[in-house]
Amino acid sequence: MPKEPSPRRDLAPPASSALIAPAGAAAPTTVRRRLRSLAGWLLAALLLVLLDQATKAWVSHSLVYAERIPVLPVFDLTLLFNTGAAFSFLADGGGSQRWLFTGIALIAAILILRWLYTHAGQRLLCIALSCILGGALGNALDRLMHGHVVDFLLFYWRDWYFPAFNLADIAITCGAGLLILDEILRNRRAHRS
């Protein structure tokens, strides 16, 4: 009795949906994993924004402008407004800096979202990006709602004062430090291999 010919393997239907995706596209399970990871990092950034806004609201309702409450010999709570960027850069820009810095924050947020999505598995990098995203959005909200950023943490030593800042600024600074640390660790791993 003659044997039936076996079907050609190259004509058989694909074994997984990953083979259906166009060339260069991520597999559906990878996309779902990235989106789930992105949602987690966005939640972390949102929590930073909420904490930042809550502290600014508390200080704004508890203090009058420029009032200082001594906490430590080198630290006061105060209420100050910054119309510029870090260290009051461009604070005397006449108002247009409000939209400039808000626009920069929104563009940075879009780029960070893309970076979080494409590097979802890199934990330290994503923590850093979430901190920067939360801080940037916290200060951008201030600019949109008030036309200035609310600062309230004032460190000083005798007659020297560090510019007042807020929790969003701390998040951005920590995120930048973690980005540097991530790059150092990545370079070490690449050098070892």
Side-chain angles (χ1 to χ4, degrees):
M1 192 157 159
K3 257 180 149 175
E4 283 189 35
S6 62
R8 287 182 46 189
R9 291 193 184 270
D10 60 339
L11 296 178
S16 77
S17 59
L19 297 177
I20 297 172
T29 54
T30 303
V31 170
R32 280 193 292 274
R33 195 175 321 122
R34 284 182 178 178
L35 288 174
R36 203 173 357 200
S37 180
L38 177 62
W41 298 120
L42 290 178
L43 180 61
L46 177 63
L47 291 174
L48 284 172
V49 171
L50 292 175
L51 182 61
D52 173 64
Q53 290 298 304
T55 56
K56 289 173 179 175
W58 176 78
V59 168
S60 296
H61 290 97
S62 301
L63 302 174
V64 296
Y65 184 78
E67 180 183 359
R68 289 174 58 176
I69 298 175
V71 178
L72 297 171
V74 295
F75 169 64
D76 290 352
L77 285 177
T78 188
L79 176 61
L80 298 174
F81 304 140
N82 181 4
T83 56
F87 304 108
S88 297
F89 176 67
L90 293 180
D92 55 354
S96 60
Q97 73 276 23
R98 170 187 186 182
W99 304 112
L100 171 69
F101 294 132
T102 301
I104 290 171
L106 294 178
I107 291 169
I110 292 167
L111 295 174
I112 289 172
L113 287 173
R114 172 92 173 124
W115 209 354
L116 282 169
Y117 176 77
T118 57
H119 295 84
Q122 298 178 23
R123 189 175 189 85
L124 183 59
L125 175 65
C126 289
I127 291 170
L129 293 173
S130 293
C131 287
I132 294 170
L133 179 63
L137 292 178
N139 282 341
L141 273 175
D142 274 13
R143 286 191 179 92
L144 287 173
M145 293 187 306
H146 312 297
H148 57 260
V149 174
V150 175
D151 288 327
F152 59 92
L153 302 170
L154 181 65
F155 285 88
Y156 57 91
W157 178 251
R158 296 186 180 153
D159 293 335
W160 176 86
Y161 290 86
F162 190 80
F165 56 97
N166 56 46
L167 293 186
D169 298 331
I170 293 172
I172 293 169
T173 303
C174 290
L178 290 173
L179 272 180
I180 294 168
L181 177 61
D182 179 66
E183 188 61 27
I184 291 169
L185 295 175
R186 190 185 343 264
N187 284 336
R188 281 189 184 173
R189 285 191 300 269
H191 184 68
R192 286 182 192 152
S193 60

